[in-house]
Amino acid sequence: MTVPNCDEELTISEEPQSVLSIGTSAVELLDAAGASDRITARAGEFGSELPEGLRHAPDDAPIIDPADPAIETIVGAEADIIVGYGLLGASPEDVEAAGIPNVVIDGECGHGTALSGKTDFEAIFADVERLAGIFGTEDVADENLAEMRQELETLTATAGDGGQTQTGAVVYYFSESAAMSARGGLGIADDVLARAGLDNVYGDEGSVYVEGTNIETLLDADPHTIVLAYGLWGETFEEAKQRLLSDPGAANLAAVQNDRIIGVLASDLAPDPGALRGLRAILEATGALT
């Protein structure tokens, strides 16, 4: 089978029976595709908990590296295939030489582009279909996709006709000492904001992650609502909020003055079905969904 894989095509010679997942998004996508029971090793989760609501949580799959694994660790896992965010500690040449297909999830193709150009909910659903084709689990995936599409339709309808009347931004701090970053126009966060009735002030940025965005750009845009993605370094929403409020001038933001800062787990704004939870959290916080 040959499948699209970022800007290339990937040939898989036989149906994989064992999977090395890299990152929690891979776990959630595989679960929606009906193949999470084939995860035999995990890596790249950086201490995060497994996503909630998994149909088959791979609790028994050992974490061979909490961070990005080296090629020796990958080979030692003895998996038939890798599914994840794209390897950083092992070169594509080494992985290819080891004979292990490496499937990169759509929303993590270079952290800036995706298979479809932009990772929205439809791209996530297409990723589930792609994985189901690889693992021969189309029947399970079709049932799960029908449920997810219905949930997305219901959630989107609560925000009205889809026309944005207010502005919004998704910002985060990658570490306790890092400068503020934001989510641009190519990632799932942009689609989440739009479906919640918010126009992304960073939507014109042609990337998923707008790294190093400073407080000045947020002050200039002064969005109606700020979605603060938290949990990237183990921080709570309150800790992340205090980090934002400590930036010079943050007290002048309209969203701060009017208590319109919404906390959403960063893992619920990732390119996987968990983004439905992120959308639900924003709609609940804005009062659109009770």
Side-chain angles (χ1 to χ4, degrees), residues 146-221:
E147 293 179 5
M148 289 188 290
R149 289 182 187 278
Q150 180 59 56
E151 181 179 1
L152 179 62
E153 182 179 341
T154 300
L155 290 175
T156 303
T158 65
D161 60 7
Q164 291 83 28
T165 58
Q166 303 291 352
T167 56
V170 174
V171 301
Y172 64 97
Y173 296 87
F174 190 73
S175 70
E176 190 172 7
S177 59
M180 190 192 77
S181 295
R183 297 292 188 91
L186 290 187
I188 185 60
D190 189 73
D191 195 18
V192 168
L193 286 177
R195 290 177 183 274
L198 298 169
D199 185 21
N200 185 5
V201 297
Y202 294 103
D204 290 337
E205 296 285 346
S207 61
V208 177
Y209 306 101
V210 188
E211 302 290 352
T213 306
N214 54 42
I215 189 66
E216 284 79 10
T217 64
L218 191 64
L219 287 166
D220 288 342

Side-chain angles (χ1 to χ4, degrees), residues 263-280:
V264 177
L265 276 169
S267 57
D268 288 346
L269 291 170
D272 61 56
L276 287 166
R277 294 191 297 271
L279 175 57
R280 178 178 291 275

